[in-house]
Amino acid sequence: PRQRIAAALATQALLGDPARAAEMTAAARLNLAALPDTETAPAELAQALMTAGSLFHASHSEEDRAQAEALATRLCATQADDGVFRETGAMAFVAEHAVALLALARSLPFGGQAGEAVRRGIDALALITLPGPVDTITLPAAPAAGTEELALLLRALRAAQTARATGVLALSEAEARRLAFLADLALRFLQARIRPEGDALIVDGPLSAQVAALAALVPPEGAMGR
């Protein structure tokens, strides 16, 4: 998906080789510009929001800030009454919900109404035991069955914890304890899917799951804004 590519390029422009920053920024902007004005898929809007956020941290441009704020507003509009991010009439998917939470948690320094959306999105998560038995985290009728989904959830929950620690996400003590509980469980569930193989650690699932697990265990969010 073009917006996922855009987010990766923008992050590389911000945190990677300074000599290639201009090239990466231009490529990220090109992909971001391809986002349709009618886009309503939470995952696409979330990736676009993370792109705009990274571009702002690199440029400190008011235009990039305004774009990030507008995308955050569009993403918040995809949150249903039950707190789940999804397109109207579509099924709920944990991965889509998690990346929306991640993007909004990262966008909180821009202000706006994202804080309430993050709180409601976290509140929509619950615990479930699947046949096996396998414990995992779930949305209504949509459990996190795959490794990549768990990794995305962990990264989103850790981003929310970081936002609270830096004072941009207001949570009650009860909400903060529940967030910490869910993050700890997501970490444990993810660790259970990692096994040693020779000198390496292998994550159950495809290459994308390996990458998602690495991003969750060593998240780049703490480096944003440097």
Side-chain angles (χ1 to χ4, degrees):
R2 292 194 69 166
Q3 297 312 312
R4 191 166 180 174
I5 294 171
L9 289 167
T11 302
Q12 185 70 15
L14 178 63
L15 304 178
D17 182 0
R20 300 194 64 192
E23 176 188 1
M24 295 292 177
T25 296
R29 292 190 188 282
L30 185 64
N31 281 278
L32 180 59
L35 183 76
D37 292 337
T38 55
E39 182 62 72
T40 57
E44 287 293 283
L45 291 170
Q47 297 290 353
L49 172 55
M50 289 191 285
T51 301
S54 294
L55 291 173
F56 168 76
H57 285 306
S59 70
H60 301 288
S61 158
E62 285 305 311
E63 183 178 352
D64 286 333
R65 173 188 278 276
Q67 186 171 30
E69 291 174 348
L71 286 166
T73 299
R74 289 174 63 183
L75 180 55
C76 287
T78 68
Q79 190 172 43
D81 291 341
D82 59 2
V84 179
F85 295 95
R86 60 172 174 262
E87 290 190 83
T88 302
M91 291 178 58
F93 293 98
V94 172
E96 189 165 48
H97 182 79
V99 75
L101 278 179
L102 172 62
L104 288 173
R106 283 175 44 168
S107 76
L108 286 169
F110 301 135
Q113 303 302 311
E116 178 61 23
V118 170
R119 286 193 294 270
R120 292 180 59 216
I122 294 170
D123 191 55
L125 299 170
L127 301 179
I128 192 173
T129 300
L130 301 176
V134 176
D135 293 328
T136 190
I137 298 173
T138 187
L139 294 173
T147 303
E148 189 168 0
E149 293 170 316
L150 282 171
L152 281 169
L153 270 178
L154 174 59
R155 188 173 170 194
L157 293 169
R158 283 185 161 179
Q161 287 181 303
T162 298
R164 180 178 184 267
T166 55
V168 294
L169 176 61
L171 296 177
S172 68
E173 286 301 318
E175 288 173 324
R177 285 195 299 271
R178 186 173 183 274
L179 171 59
F181 174 67
L182 288 172
D184 181 66
L185 284 178
L187 174 60
R188 291 172 185 269
F189 296 156
L190 180 60
Q191 287 174 326
R193 294 165 180 257
I194 301 174
R195 68 184 189 280
E197 188 171 297
D199 294 332
L201 292 175
I202 305 299
V203 176
D204 290 342
L207 179 60
S208 59
Q210 187 95 5
V211 173
L214 182 61
L217 296 171
V218 191
E221 278 72 40
M224 295 299 181
R226 284 184 181 176

